[in-house]
Amino acid sequence: VAGLVCQLVAAAGPGSSVPHNALRALWAILRNAPPCDFAAALGVELLRPVVAVCGRMFVGWLRQNALDFAYLDVVCCVVTQIAGGGPALADLVATLSARGFNHAVPTSLAIILFQHTHEARRGGRNGRDVLKHLGPINLALEGLYTISLHFDLRAVRIPEYEGDVTNSFDEALSEYADFLEGFVSHQVRSRYMQAYVSRLLAFTPHGTPPMGPRPPPIETETEQQRRLMQYADSMQRTREAVRRQRERIREEGGAAEAIRSAEAHRTRGDA
């Protein structure tokens, strides 16, 4: 099913509502599967058009309004999930170009992160203003963190507001480093976001954090949600199996026999 959805995304024309709806369906499938499973089943070539569509959606939407996060949440989730499928898929997500942008996905995630961080910093102590930027910041951090496990983000160039000047990712991030560390540690108090920020800040002109760490430094929120959903599904299946077994025993009259056997054991014990 995921393969058919990938083909549907690739075949949809620009301006169509099909890509977003299909991406949401694809995300619903992929988030329940371990990355190694869907990476092996779908492969780079089938996922390449999906990443290309995500890149075009990012660039097109952010060119209109860098703070408009409508419909981009599912795009962030899909690229993060694909990037978590291993080194080859992380490289695909990181290096694919779209609409004249090199490294379209990590560049777009960085722009989302910086723009919403800038607005959250301006919001100061107004909790409502800060809260509306939390979702975009979290998804952008998780996406960049997942890509960074196998890709050197220093290769990503972030355009400035005016002109053709660009900065490397680590240079652009340094402007918001102090605020982000305080934000995720003292306001949000999320250990996930703290781990994301800590790894991203390890990209400096002089070095990078370890690439391809085994195991990864932290289980992301997406991975934890998938694991909990799989656990809940397993518990539900177990309950259903027990219920069917009990019904079968009742139909076969085994319950009465089991009661008589238990009574006999109890009687012998009393004697």
Side-chain angles (χ1 to χ4, degrees), residues 87-102:
L89 290 177
D91 187 72
L92 169 65
V93 172
T95 58
L96 195 135
S97 300
R99 297 186 176 182
F101 274 80
N102 296 322

Side-chain angles (χ1 to χ4, degrees), residues 22-76:
L23 286 174
R24 190 171 293 280
L26 181 62
W27 165 237
I29 297 171
L30 296 186
R31 68 181 180 180
N32 293 314
C36 57
D37 289 354
F38 78 74
L42 299 176
V44 172
E45 293 308 314
L46 194 57
L47 290 169
R48 186 184 304 276
V50 176
V51 178
V53 169
C54 290
R56 291 196 298 270
M57 292 178 70
F58 268 136
V59 175
W61 214 266
L62 294 175
R63 276 178 173 172
Q64 297 176 34
N65 184 351
L67 288 173
D68 189 354
F69 199 65
Y71 303 110
L72 290 185
D73 55 344
V74 68
V75 184
C76 288

Side-chain angles (χ1 to χ4, degrees), residues 113-114 117 121 170-185 197-198 200-202:
L113 172 62
F114 299 150
T117 299
R121 185 169 63 179
D170 53 295
E171 291 173 334
L173 180 63
S174 65
E175 180 181 347
Y176 301 99
D178 291 340
F179 174 79
L180 277 173
E181 286 186 301
F183 180 66
V184 302
S185 299
V197 171
S198 176
L200 295 180
L201 290 177

Side-chain angles (χ1 to χ4, degrees), residues 134-156:
L134 176 58
I137 290 173
N138 182 47
L139 289 177
L141 282 173
E142 184 174 357
L144 289 166
Y145 166 86
T146 304
I147 293 171
S148 78
L149 295 177
H150 303 288
F151 182 78
D152 187 350
L153 289 174
R154 295 178 301 175
V156 177

Side-chain angles (χ1 to χ4, degrees), residues 243-264:
R243 184 182 61 79
R244 288 194 297 269
Q245 184 181 36
R246 287 174 175 171
E247 289 177 351
R248 186 171 61 253
I249 291 175
R250 291 192 187 97
E251 292 173 355
E252 295 173 355
E257 180 61 32
I259 292 172
R260 285 193 295 270
S261 176
E263 284 291 331

